[in-house]
Amino acid sequence: MHTIASWRRLLAEFLGTALLVTAVVGSGIMASRLSPNDVGLQLLENSVATAFALSALILTFGPISGAHFNPVVSAADWFLGRRTGTGLPGRDLAGYAAAQTTGAIAGSVLANLMFDLAPVTFASKERSAGNLWLGEIVATAGLLLLIFALGRSGRAAVAPAAVGAYIGAAYWFTSSTSFANPAVTIGRAFTDTFAGIAPASVPGFVIAQLAGLLIGVGLLLAFYPDAGRSADDIVVAHPIDQAAHRP
């Protein structure tokens, strides 16, 4: 098991998720100001910024916490690794989810403040429809397949670029613009801007993401029955904290 102190890993998950949501929300605000009459261009600007930011954040925080930034990734990591003693320990799962969710809310607040908006402006954009929920199921299951397939095949080193590319692409090929993350979904309810989602729409998205989690894990077990053996490499392999072994 990894020996990096728990508080360091939780701080990394909090800060990484916060900065991810700051990038999502902030780039959405900037896009709507720079291209006020072109929604397609706004989405392009938002998706490119998000993809680049996510890749950079995985590189930054991956060696500390694994850079999950997402409760469904943490839950899948715990579930797949529980039989082999790898991956995220069960005792840390709730802590990761809490750090990710509070970080996501903080990220929206930070983005609002940077663009001279009220710290909390609850979103009014309704995103509630069956086709959007289907998009979230597809986006979430695909994300899990990508992440764990990379770990299982020994290619975790390319995860930052691959995950960033997937999320950037999924903005465009899913009807929901690929939230694929319960924590980020909750955080985006705290900003009434381009990237916002009305609080009333959050439960439907989260339920769809949990369905994507179940489908994604099921497919992983079908394709890679021993996927749990590489759970320690999700998203980026955690190094052993050498200081913990010094006399």
Side-chain angles (χ1 to χ4, degrees), residues 107-126:
S108 275
V109 172
L110 178 58
N112 287 336
L113 290 173
M114 284 199 301
F115 286 89
D116 198 27
L117 302 174
V120 174
T121 55
F122 288 109
S124 58
K125 186 177 296 184
E126 294 289 338

mmCIF file of all heavy atoms in Angstrom, residues 107-126:
data_model
loop_
_atom_site.group_PDB
_atom_site.id
_atom_site.type_symbol
_atom_site.label_atom_id
_atom_site.label_comp_id
_atom_site.label_asym_id
_atom_site.label_seq_id
_atom_site.Cartn_x
_atom_site.Cartn_y
_atom_site.Cartn_z
ATOM 1 N N GLY A 107 -14.099 25.464 -6.111
ATOM 2 C CA GLY A 107 -13.658 25.863 -7.439
ATOM 3 C C GLY A 107 -14.642 26.789 -8.126
ATOM 4 O O GLY A 107 -14.238 27.751 -8.801
ATOM 5 N N SER A 108 -15.940 26.522 -7.975
ATOM 6 C CA SER A 108 -16.947 27.413 -8.552
ATOM 7 C C SER A 108 -16.906 28.781 -7.889
ATOM 8 O O SER A 108 -17.005 29.817 -8.562
ATOM 9 C CB SER A 108 -18.343 26.799 -8.401
ATOM 10 O OG SER A 108 -18.635 25.906 -9.451
ATOM 11 N N VAL A 109 -16.768 28.782 -6.566
ATOM 12 C CA VAL A 109 -16.697 30.052 -5.836
ATOM 13 C C VAL A 109 -15.490 30.864 -6.304
ATOM 14 O O VAL A 109 -15.583 32.072 -6.543
ATOM 15 C CB VAL A 109 -16.625 29.794 -4.319
ATOM 16 C CG1 VAL A 109 -16.342 31.085 -3.560
ATOM 17 C CG2 VAL A 109 -17.929 29.169 -3.818
ATOM 18 N N LEU A 110 -14.339 30.185 -6.464
ATOM 19 C CA LEU A 110 -13.131 30.877 -6.911
ATOM 20 C C LEU A 110 -13.312 31.465 -8.299
ATOM 21 O O LEU A 110 -12.928 32.618 -8.564
ATOM 22 C CB LEU A 110 -11.956 29.907 -6.891
ATOM 23 C CG LEU A 110 -10.607 30.448 -7.388
ATOM 24 C CD1 LEU A 110 -10.179 31.658 -6.568
ATOM 25 C CD2 LEU A 110 -9.543 29.350 -7.332
ATOM 26 N N ALA A 111 -13.891 30.694 -9.207
ATOM 27 C CA ALA A 111 -14.111 31.202 -10.564
ATOM 28 C C ALA A 111 -15.058 32.400 -10.553
ATOM 29 O O ALA A 111 -14.822 33.402 -11.243
ATOM 30 C CB ALA A 111 -14.663 30.098 -11.456
ATOM 31 N N ASN A 112 -16.130 32.311 -9.786
ATOM 32 C CA ASN A 112 -17.053 33.439 -9.685
ATOM 33 C C ASN A 112 -16.328 34.701 -9.216
ATOM 34 O O ASN A 112 -16.516 35.786 -9.770
ATOM 35 C CB ASN A 112 -18.186 33.111 -8.705
ATOM 36 C CG ASN A 112 -19.184 32.108 -9.253
ATOM 37 O OD1 ASN A 112 -19.328 31.953 -10.472
ATOM 38 N ND2 ASN A 112 -19.885 31.418 -8.370
ATOM 39 N N LEU A 113 -15.502 34.556 -8.187
ATOM 40 C CA LEU A 113 -14.799 35.707 -7.633
ATOM 41 C C LEU A 113 -13.800 36.280 -8.630
ATOM 42 O O LEU A 113 -13.656 37.505 -8.739
ATOM 43 C CB LEU A 113 -14.083 35.304 -6.339
ATOM 44 C CG LEU A 113 -14.982 35.013 -5.137
ATOM 45 C CD1 LEU A 113 -14.173 34.453 -3.980
ATOM 46 C CD2 LEU A 113 -15.732 36.277 -4.702
ATOM 47 N N MET A 114 -13.101 35.411 -9.352
ATOM 48 C CA MET A 114 -12.117 35.906 -10.318
ATOM 49 C C MET A 114 -12.757 36.747 -11.413
ATOM 50 O O MET A 114 -12.118 37.655 -11.960
ATOM 51 C CB MET A 114 -11.353 34.733 -10.951
ATOM 52 C CG MET A 114 -10.310 34.111 -10.063
ATOM 53 S SD MET A 114 -9.119 33.144 -11.013
ATOM 54 C CE MET A 114 -10.176 31.938 -11.819
ATOM 55 N N PHE A 115 -14.013 36.446 -11.741
ATOM 56 C CA PHE A 115 -14.690 37.190 -12.799
ATOM 57 C C PHE A 115 -15.682 38.214 -12.241
ATOM 58 O O PHE A 115 -16.622 38.620 -12.909
ATOM 59 C CB PHE A 115 -15.383 36.223 -13.763
ATOM 60 C CG PHE A 115 -14.408 35.505 -14.664
ATOM 61 C CD1 PHE A 115 -13.835 34.305 -14.282
ATOM 62 C CD2 PHE A 115 -14.029 36.065 -15.883
ATOM 63 C CE1 PHE A 115 -12.918 33.653 -15.096
ATOM 64 C CE2 PHE A 115 -13.122 35.428 -16.704
ATOM 65 C CZ PHE A 115 -12.556 34.217 -16.308
ATOM 66 N N ASP A 116 -15.441 38.607 -10.981
ATOM 67 C CA ASP A 116 -16.187 39.692 -10.341
ATOM 68 C C ASP A 116 -17.683 39.404 -10.255
ATOM 69 O O ASP A 116 -18.520 40.299 -10.446
ATOM 70 C CB ASP A 116 -15.940 41.018 -11.087
ATOM 71 C CG ASP A 116 -16.308 42.234 -10.246
ATOM 72 O OD1 ASP A 116 -16.249 42.125 -8.997
ATOM 73 O OD2 ASP A 116 -16.651 43.287 -10.819
ATOM 74 N N LEU A 117 -18.004 38.145 -9.969
ATOM 75 C CA LEU A 117 -19.386 37.754 -9.729
ATOM 76 C C LEU A 117 -19.566 37.478 -8.240
ATOM 77 O O LEU A 117 -18.592 37.370 -7.495
ATOM 78 C CB LEU A 117 -19.734 36.496 -10.534
ATOM 79 C CG LEU A 117 -19.557 36.588 -12.049
ATOM 80 C CD1 LEU A 117 -19.791 35.222 -12.685
ATOM 81 C CD2 LEU A 117 -20.500 37.621 -12.640
ATOM 82 N N ALA A 118 -20.813 37.359 -7.810
ATOM 83 C CA ALA A 118 -21.070 36.980 -6.423
ATOM 84 C C ALA A 118 -20.436 35.608 -6.165
ATOM 85 O O ALA A 118 -20.420 34.753 -7.068
ATOM 86 C CB ALA A 118 -22.567 36.933 -6.164
ATOM 87 N N PRO A 119 -19.919 35.374 -4.961
ATOM 88 C CA PRO A 119 -19.244 34.094 -4.692
ATOM 89 C C PRO A 119 -20.101 32.878 -5.012
ATOM 90 O O PRO A 119 -19.602 31.895 -5.561
ATOM 91 C CB PRO A 119 -18.929 34.176 -3.192
ATOM 92 C CG PRO A 119 -18.880 35.631 -2.897
ATOM 93 C CD PRO A 119 -19.881 36.272 -3.803
ATOM 94 N N VAL A 120 -21.368 32.932 -4.678
ATOM 95 C CA VAL A 120 -22.294 31.838 -4.981
ATOM 96 C C VAL A 120 -23.470 32.401 -5.758
ATOM 97 O O VAL A 120 -24.168 33.299 -5.294
ATOM 98 C CB VAL A 120 -22.786 31.150 -3.696
ATOM 99 C CG1 VAL A 120 -23.854 30.106 -4.033
ATOM 100 C CG2 VAL A 120 -21.631 30.499 -2.943
ATOM 101 N N THR A 121 -23.660 31.882 -6.949
ATOM 102 C CA THR A 121 -24.816 32.245 -7.772
ATOM 103 C C THR A 121 -25.408 30.936 -8.293
ATOM 104 O O THR A 121 -24.913 30.376 -9.258
ATOM 105 C CB THR A 121 -24.397 33.143 -8.950
ATOM 106 O OG1 THR A 121 -23.368 32.488 -9.712
ATOM 107 C CG2 THR A 121 -23.859 34.474 -8.464
ATOM 108 N N PHE A 122 -26.405 30.423 -7.631
ATOM 109 C CA PHE A 122 -26.945 29.119 -8.002
ATOM 110 C C PHE A 122 -27.429 29.122 -9.446
ATOM 111 O O PHE A 122 -28.114 30.050 -9.894
ATOM 112 C CB PHE A 122 -28.084 28.723 -7.058
ATOM 113 C CG PHE A 122 -27.607 28.363 -5.679
ATOM 114 C CD1 PHE A 122 -27.861 29.204 -4.601
ATOM 115 C CD2 PHE A 122 -26.875 27.199 -5.462
ATOM 116 C CE1 PHE A 122 -27.412 28.878 -3.334
ATOM 117 C CE2 PHE A 122 -26.419 26.876 -4.194
ATOM 118 C CZ PHE A 122 -26.686 27.720 -3.121
ATOM 119 N N ALA A 123 -27.049 28.074 -10.161
ATOM 120 C CA ALA A 123 -27.321 28.007 -11.591
ATOM 121 C C ALA A 123 -28.814 27.918 -11.880
ATOM 122 O O ALA A 123 -29.585 27.321 -11.111
ATOM 123 C CB ALA A 123 -26.601 26.807 -12.198
ATOM 124 N N SER A 124 -29.211 28.487 -12.987
ATOM 125 C CA SER A 124 -30.613 28.431 -13.421
ATOM 126 C C SER A 124 -30.793 27.580 -14.672
ATOM 127 O O SER A 124 -31.916 27.395 -15.138
ATOM 128 C CB SER A 124 -31.122 29.855 -13.692
ATOM 129 O OG SER A 124 -30.325 30.493 -14.676
ATOM 130 N N LYS A 125 -29.684 27.059 -15.209
ATOM 131 C CA LYS A 125 -29.747 26.303 -16.461
ATOM 132 C C LYS A 125 -30.243 24.879 -16.202
ATOM 133 O O LYS A 125 -29.566 24.061 -15.593
ATOM 134 C CB LYS A 125 -28.369 26.257 -17.125
ATOM 135 C CG LYS A 125 -28.360 25.609 -18.505
ATOM 136 C CD LYS A 125 -26.982 25.671 -19.132
ATOM 137 C CE LYS A 125 -26.569 27.105 -19.381
ATOM 138 N NZ LYS A 125 -25.258 27.173 -20.084
ATOM 139 N N GLU A 126 -31.449 24.583 -16.669
ATOM 140 C CA GLU A 126 -32.029 23.254 -16.493
ATOM 141 C C GLU A 126 -31.371 22.268 -17.455
ATOM 142 O O GLU A 126 -31.245 22.542 -18.647
ATOM 143 C CB GLU A 126 -33.531 23.284 -16.732
ATOM 144 C CG GLU A 126 -34.315 24.104 -15.714
ATOM 145 C CD GLU A 126 -34.363 23.444 -14.345
ATOM 146 O OE1 GLU A 126 -34.169 22.209 -14.281
ATOM 147 O OE2 GLU A 126 -34.580 24.157 -13.355
#
